[in-house]
Amino acid sequence: MIRPMVGFVVASIWRMIRLGMFMIAMLLGSMTVSLADSWMGLVPDAEIVGQARFKVFLFKIYDATLFAANGRFDPDGAYALRLNYLVDASKAQIVKRSLVEMGRQTKADEAQLEIWKVFLDASFRDLKDGESATAVHNRDGSITFYLNDVEGETINDADFADAFMNIWLSDKAKDLDFSRALRGLDDTS
C-alpha cells in the first residue's frame, strides 16, 4: 500500500516540476521575443549589415552589430547599432568618450556639446560586462536608446543623432576598419 502511494507522489512531483519548467521556458521565450521586438520593430525587415569587435590595445571593449532593413545600411533611414559590452563601463566613461568623438568629427562648439551631454546623461547608465546598449536611428532623424533591450530615451535632435551614430558609422570614425566592417564595406574587423 505504501509503495504505490510513494510512486504516485513521486510521479505527481515530477509532473509538477516538468509543468513548472515548461511555464518558465514559455515565459522567458515570450519575454525575449517582446524585448527584441521592442527595438527591432523600429527597423523594418532588420538584418545584420556588419559586425566588428572594438579593442583598445589588447583589451576587448565591446562587440558591435549594425542592423538595417534587408541588411542594407542607409544613413538617412532606420537602422540600429547594438553594442554588447565585454567590460564594465561607467556612465561617465561612455558620456565622455562619446562627446570627445562627436566633437572631433563635427567641430561642435562647447555650447552644443553641453546640450549633447545632457542628452547622453539622460540616455545612459553604468553598463556591466555582458550588458548591451542599442541606439536606433529612426526615419524621422530622432534616436532611441535601449539598455539591455529596455527602451529608454528618445532624443528628437537629428544633429545629435547623426553625430552620435557617426562615432561608429562614418569615414571620420577613429577606427576606420571597424567602421567599414560594421557598414558591410569589407570583412576587416
Side-chain angles (χ1 to χ4, degrees):
M1 171 107 174
I2 291 183
R3 194 168 248 177
M5 180 87 82
V6 170
F8 173 76
V9 169
V10 169
S12 295
I13 291 172
W14 181 243
R15 276 192 296 274
M16 289 174 56
I17 290 172
R18 287 191 329 210
L19 178 62
M21 289 178 7
F22 174 76
M23 291 176 70
I24 289 171
M26 294 300 292
L27 178 62
L28 290 176
S30 67
M31 284 175 52
T32 301
V33 169
S34 66
L35 290 175
D37 284 346
S38 65
W39 68 264
M40 291 189 84
L42 297 175
V43 183
D45 303 315
E47 292 180 21
I48 294 174
V49 175
Q51 297 177 303
R53 174 166 281 171
F54 185 74
K55 298 178 197 173
V56 175
F57 300 110
L58 298 175
F59 300 102
K60 301 169 187 167
I61 308 301
Y62 50 75
D63 288 329
T65 306
L66 178 63
F67 297 86
N70 302 309
R72 289 188 214 100
F73 175 61
D74 172 5
D76 296 321
Y79 58 89
L81 178 65
R82 182 178 184 86
L83 306 178
N84 292 309
Y85 280 81
L86 304 172
V87 297
D88 293 349
S90 73
K91 173 181 172 176
Q93 290 171 318
I94 294 167
V95 170
K96 179 181 176 182
R97 291 305 315 151
S98 297
L99 287 170
V100 165
E101 286 306 303
M102 292 165 78
R104 181 183 68 79
Q105 288 191 29
T106 65
K107 306 295 184 207
D109 63 22
E110 287 301 315
Q112 184 64 63
L113 290 173
E114 279 302 313
I115 293 168
W116 289 352
K117 183 181 184 309
V118 171
F119 294 161
L120 290 167
D121 279 333
S123 301
F124 284 96
R125 63 168 174 75
D126 294 345
L127 292 169
K128 301 288 184 201
D129 180 0
E131 293 189 310
S132 67
T134 304
V136 178
H137 182 279
N138 300 302
R139 287 183 182 159
D140 65 2
S142 66
I143 189 169
T144 304
F145 292 95
Y146 290 79
L147 301 178
N148 296 317
D149 293 319
V150 176
E151 185 173 356
E153 296 295 316
T154 295
I155 309 296
N156 294 307
D157 182 325
D159 291 335
F160 170 80
D162 291 341
F164 183 79
M165 295 306 251
N166 283 340
I167 293 171
W168 300 273
L169 302 175
S170 82
D171 288 333
K172 293 181 182 178
K174 195 163 194 159
D175 185 339
L176 190 54
D177 289 338
F178 176 88
S179 176
R180 290 181 59 79
L182 275 179
R183 292 181 284 158
L185 299 177
D186 65 28
D187 294 330
T188 308
S189 60

